[in-house]
Amino acid sequence: MAAQSFTLANLKISQIDSFYNQNPLHLFSTRNPVKSLNLTNPWMGGDSSLCLVDSSSASRRKIPIAVVASLPTANPESAVSDEKKPKWSWRGIKSFAMGELEARKLKYPNTGTESLLMGILIEGTSFTSKFLRAHKITLYKVREETIKLLGKADLYSFSPEHPPLTDDAQRALDSAVNQNLKAGGSGEIMPAHILLGIWSEVESPGHKILATLGFTDERARELESFASESGFLDE
């Protein structure tokens, strides 16, 4: 009896294996077959999509990845041809992204200059972030001053996935672009440009926090001098 049950069990397993070998995609819905998936980044300009192709497709091809290194701008003067359009360095883009994320963590409805400043410090590897830390301006202190100045968000409030820029934050980014254009637009836009743009917005929270923590016009000129000598290269 036991031998007969064992034989029947083996027969059923063999039938199941045979069925799935003939129908490898049986477990997937045939109503909406997955062929490709496009991932887009809404805060980066141009065609910034990542296309992932279904591995079961008959013709295998490489996954195309096209990313245009640009950030939001409201300045029409910066709307130049693609050849002349200044590009943001990966550290500049990461600083922006980390600032946006920090605004979400603090549950703020917008990405302000204070968030951009925290983004530079969170990125952490640029010359600018090292310059700030060397002058005792740290992420912890900036976050603490931000909460003192703007207050804590409501416990039950939620920040949008991509908190829109405040007016002064937008002007700070436009200023960063203009600094690069005035210098000939030969290099990439770095976190140093963003910091100097924040400092130029005198009434912004970012400027006030920097001033509270000891950042001065002299420090700004020192940073600009270092950055100009190195062509805004963040090693």
Side-chain angles (χ1 to χ4, degrees):
M1 183 68 179
Q4 185 179 2
S5 299
F6 182 75
T7 302
L8 289 174
N10 284 342
L11 179 59
K12 289 182 179 180
I13 292 174
S14 300
Q15 291 173 344
I16 292 172
D17 289 341
S18 175
F19 175 79
Y20 283 112
N21 286 334
Q22 296 173 9
N23 302 274
L25 298 180
H26 177 73
L27 292 179
F28 295 94
S29 172
T30 56
R31 184 175 301 175
N32 296 301
V34 179
K35 293 184 178 179
S36 65
L37 174 66
N38 289 324
L39 304 179
T40 58
N41 194 328
W43 57 264
M44 296 182 68
D47 180 15
S48 57
S49 63
L50 304 181
C51 182
L52 304 181
V53 181
D54 180 15
S55 60
S56 64
S57 60
S59 57
R60 291 296 184 89
R61 55 197 173 103
K62 294 182 179 179
I63 299 175
I65 300 177
V67 176
V68 179
S70 60
L71 291 180
T73 179
N75 189 352
E77 295 179 0
S78 63
V80 295
S81 62
D82 290 340
E83 294 77 11
K84 297 181 179 179
K85 186 180 296 183
K87 301 298 183 183
W88 290 83
S89 70
W90 68 268
R91 285 187 174 93
I93 291 176
K94 186 177 179 182
S95 296
F96 176 88
M98 293 297 100
E100 193 178 65
L101 181 61
E102 190 65 19
R104 290 188 64 196
K105 286 172 62 178
L106 293 174
K107 297 186 177 182
Y108 288 158
N110 298 95
T111 301
T113 51
E114 72 291 337
S115 298
L116 296 179
L117 175 57
M118 286 187 279
I120 292 172
L121 289 164
I122 293 171
E123 189 281 323
T125 66
S126 68
F127 171 81
T128 306
S129 63
K130 296 173 185 176
F131 181 87
L132 289 171
R133 290 197 300 271
H135 291 91
K136 311 301 182 185
I137 300 176
T138 64
L139 174 62
Y140 176 80
K141 291 180 180 178
V142 171
R143 188 183 287 129
E144 191 175 50
E145 291 298 325
T146 296
I147 294 174
K148 285 181 183 178
L149 184 63
L150 302 179
K152 286 186 177 182
D154 185 84
L155 180 63
Y156 300 103
S157 64
F158 290 94
S159 179
E161 183 179 358
H162 296 283
L165 291 167
T166 60
D167 291 340
D168 49 19
Q170 182 66 77
R171 288 193 298 269
L173 292 183
D174 290 339
S175 175
V177 173
N178 290 334
Q179 291 171 52
N180 181 273
L181 291 175
K182 288 177 182 178
S186 57
E188 293 179 313
I189 304 173
M190 301 289 182
H193 292 100
I194 300 177
L195 182 65
L196 294 173
I198 294 171
W199 185 247
S200 69
E201 292 296 315
V202 180
E203 296 300 321
S204 70
H207 179 101
K208 293 177 181 178
I209 292 168
L210 282 169
T212 300
L213 296 178
F215 197 83
T216 62
D217 288 332
E218 183 182 354
R219 298 292 187 208
R221 287 191 293 269
E222 185 180 351
L223 175 62
E224 188 173 9
S225 175
F226 281 135
S228 298
E229 290 175 2
S230 60
F232 277 101
L233 290 178
D234 282 319
E235 64 278 354

